[in-house]
Amino acid sequence: MKKITIFKKKSNQSILIIILCVLVCFFFFQNRPNTNSQIDYSTDYTDYTSMAKLLNRYNIKFGTVINAQSMNQKNYKQLVKYHFNSLTAANEMKAYSMLSQSESQKSKDGMPVMNYTTADRIMQFAADNNIGVRGHVLVWDAYMSDWFFREGYQSNNAYVDRETMLKRVEYYITEVITHFETSFPGVIYCWDVVNEAVGDNSEEYNLLDVRHLRTLRSGTKNLFYEVIGDDYVELSFLYARNAVTKLGVDVKLFYNDYNTFQEEKCSAICELIKSVNTYQKEANGRYLKLCDGVGMQGYIGGYGEQEGCLESADIYRIQKAVGAYGALNVEVHITESAVRNYDKTEVSIKKHAKFYENLFDALIKNNQKNNGPITSISIWGLCDNESYAKGSYNYNLNSPYGGLFTQDYKVKEAFAKVNKLLSR
Ligand code: GLA
């Protein structure tokens, strides 16, 4: 009898253990992160109201980036036409893309010569589809052609003096603004006059300069600073202002940078804007407003890794910075936004969607409360891109799963949430 009881007890325990195992397995598989290949991306972007229309109700343009390659991608252009009313050329309107060294060397008056062929193709697409363009960018030390700063535009000659350089820069800025205004009147609604002139750490600027004007970039000299001097930003804005005034066009002039929502950098940028806007006194004794706005590039999250991504503290910091720039009586554009996400799990895709929704919610509410400093939002990391090689520049900068759309232009939850939020 005793034996039988023991056996019965043992068998009850075994059944209990089996049930427990089944339950544990059930919960494990239920909560296991899925890969996004199992997520349903069946909706099409045309099922949603155009984002440009929705944001127009808040007087905000919705933009993205285009480059020479995407000009050949029919699907990308369709998406752009449907949801966007602002475009930024990735590289095609930068000085290093448009300046021609061989033609400049032959120039009779010593002024540089530009080739607008590729930039004009992008402008034509925008003009044909009634899309505005953020001119990007007139003066940027990165990727800049070194020969532009040298005697006779020869790669091995000495650097020119300040006066010669100022003439070149003034000519370049005036010519470029005038070319696009004449060939495509009214298409460009703003120019990034200067990009990334504020340094990130104390090795990159003069410690006595409250503007933290960049003297170095990753060890390389900022040639605008080096050859012209520490007023090159103010002067570039003055030349651009003179050009748009002379043409009588409504083109806003912007200062554009990254990390604009980091406290220290934000303060330095504010100092720079103040300096630019108190640089030139008019006959009536008032300062001429040279800079109309700050472009906040908007790469958000950890660089190259998930740690530091999708943190709500960043939304708070962005709002705070928008407030600081708005208080200087300038507009704000979010110019190159990428909400970074490096993980392909369902959990992080959902977190990314929620982050995007919260970001837009905060930006819109804040904007309504503060008389709308934000007038344009552009997304740089628009589509996921699984082909970025881990650790590559694009992988780190844009992240593979930070898009509003999949790489074949299907709607992600992030887009659906933002669109729904704006449709209310
Ligand atoms: C900066 C520039 C952009 C682009 C990115 C890199 O943010 O402003 O034009 O070159 O770097 O993709």
Side-chain angles (χ1 to χ4, degrees):
M1 269 308 271
K2 214 177 174 197
K3 255 189 182 172
I4 290 171
T5 318
I6 288 169
F7 176 75
K8 260 197 178 167
K9 253 192 188 166
K10 268 200 175 157
S11 110
N12 279 346
Q13 272 176 354
S14 311
I15 290 170
L16 216 76
I17 287 168
I18 290 169
I19 290 174
L20 265 171
C21 284
V22 169
L23 278 174
V24 166
C25 287
F26 176 75
F27 282 113
F28 173 77
F29 282 107
Q30 276 283 304
N31 295 319
R32 188 178 57 123
N34 288 326
T35 60
N36 70 358
S37 55
Q38 291 160 299
I39 300 171
D40 177 23
Y41 290 126
S42 52
T43 51
D44 195 274
Y45 62 78
T46 53
D47 297 339
Y48 296 78
T49 310
S50 157
M51 285 287 288
K53 278 194 194 139
L54 292 175
L55 277 167
N56 195 35
R57 296 190 305 179
Y58 302 96
N59 290 323
I60 296 174
K61 284 190 192 298
F62 193 51
T64 192
V65 60
I66 195 151
N67 61 23
Q69 294 89 285
S70 45
M71 283 295 293
N72 299 322
Q73 289 162 1
K74 203 169 148 235
N75 292 344
Y76 188 74
K77 288 198 287 185
Q78 287 301 118
L79 170 63
V80 167
K81 285 195 251 179
Y82 188 85
H83 277 294
F84 296 88
N85 57 357
S86 172
L87 273 176
T88 307
N91 297 311
E92 293 72 3
M93 290 166 81
K94 290 173 181 164
Y96 77 85
S97 302
M98 298 196 298
L99 282 166
S100 161
Q101 184 175 18
S102 55
E103 293 304 314
S104 298
Q105 285 170 349
K106 290 186 237 155
S107 137
K108 297 239 159 47
D109 59 4
M111 290 299 110
V113 178
M114 283 69 79
N115 178 340
Y116 298 107
T117 315
T118 315
D120 280 355
R121 272 186 68 213
I122 290 178
M123 289 295 294
Q124 191 63 57
F125 170 72
D128 290 346
N129 294 288
N130 208 14
I131 299 174
V133 168
R134 295 196 79 261
H136 177 72
V137 49
L138 294 166
V139 171
W140 188 29
D141 61 297
Y143 299 98
M144 188 52 194
S145 323
D146 174 273
W147 57 262
F148 182 59
F149 300 85
R150 293 182 183 267
E151 299 280 2
Y153 304 110
Q154 301 284 346
S155 302
N156 296 319
N157 280 359
Y159 290 121
V160 296
D161 59 19
R162 167 178 160 95
E163 290 317 311
T164 309
M165 204 58 229
L166 283 179
K167 280 197 193 118
R168 289 181 182 182
V169 170
E170 179 172 19
Y171 180 87
Y172 177 81
I173 290 176
T174 313
E175 277 301 298
V176 170
I177 292 179
T178 308
H179 165 80
F180 291 115
E181 229 25 69
T182 319
S183 310
F184 307 95
V187 175
I188 292 184
Y189 65 97
C190 69
W191 265 105
D192 287 329
V193 178
V194 179
N195 204 25
E196 302 179 356
V198 172
D200 291 293
N201 54 63
S202 54
E203 284 103 66
E204 291 181 339
Y205 54 81
N206 179 338
L207 290 179
L208 297 175
D209 183 357
V210 288
R211 304 163 303 161
H212 292 187
L213 213 59
R214 181 189 287 287
T215 54
L216 287 177
R217 173 188 295 271
S218 314
T220 303
K221 281 183 179 163
N222 171 357
L223 286 176
F224 287 100
Y225 186 95
E226 192 69 13
V227 180
I228 294 177
D230 75 350
D231 52 356
Y232 86 89
V233 176
E234 287 81 355
L235 282 166
S236 300
F237 272 95
L238 179 62
Y239 300 150
R241 174 60 67 211
N242 289 343
V244 295
T245 306
K246 195 164 165 215
L247 290 164
V249 292
D250 180 20
V251 174
K252 298 277 166 69
L253 304 179
F254 272 70
Y255 173 73
N256 190 48
D257 212 328
Y258 62 89
N259 286 352
T260 49
F261 52 95
Q262 281 179 4
E263 212 170 323
E264 205 184 324
K265 194 146 178 190
C266 173
S267 311
I269 292 172
C270 287
E271 292 300 331
L272 180 62
I273 305 303
K274 283 190 237 166
S275 169
V276 170
N277 280 344
T278 52
Y279 187 70
Q280 184 79 355
K281 248 192 186 156
E282 292 183 284
N284 61 15
R286 286 208 209 108
Y287 288 114
L288 182 63
K289 189 172 181 184
L290 298 180
C291 173
D292 298 302
V294 173
M296 300 175 66
Q297 291 186 5
Y299 298 94
I300 309 170
Y303 187 72
E305 56 182 24
Q306 194 64 10
E307 204 186 324
C309 290
L310 310 175
E311 288 184 358
S312 50
D314 279 339
I315 298 181
Y316 171 75
R317 294 197 299 156
I318 293 167
Q319 277 176 280
K320 209 169 153 209
V322 171
Y325 302 129
L328 299 177
N329 192 26
V330 293
E331 290 180 28
V332 173
H333 286 179
I334 311 289
T335 56
E336 303 174 24
S337 180
V339 175
R340 291 179 182 139
N341 177 32
Y342 299 87
D343 275 357
K344 201 185 176 185
T345 61
E346 189 176 344
V347 172
S348 78
I349 299 287
K350 284 207 176 305
K351 202 171 161 197
H352 176 257
K354 190 72 196 145
F355 183 95
Y356 240 125
E357 183 187 27
N358 291 344
L359 176 67
F360 267 80
D361 192 36
L363 290 179
I364 300 294
K365 278 193 187 136
N366 203 22
N367 218 36
Q368 285 174 311
K369 223 167 55 198
N370 298 313
N371 296 324
I374 300 178
T375 49
S376 178
I377 299 178
S378 295
I379 314 291
W380 210 261
L382 187 63
C383 299
D384 285 354
N385 193 330
E386 305 198 30
S387 65
Y388 290 148
K390 191 163 185 216
S392 65
Y393 180 71
N394 280 330
Y395 175 94
N396 292 341
L397 192 75
N398 293 315
S399 80
Y401 307 109
L404 284 170
F405 302 97
T406 64
Q407 57 190 16
D408 51 357
Y409 310 116
K410 289 285 180 212
V411 167
K412 283 177 66 185
E413 199 177 326
F415 179 83
K417 274 196 184 310
V418 171
N419 194 276
K420 192 171 165 201
L421 172 90
L422 297 174
S423 302
R424 272 190 219 143

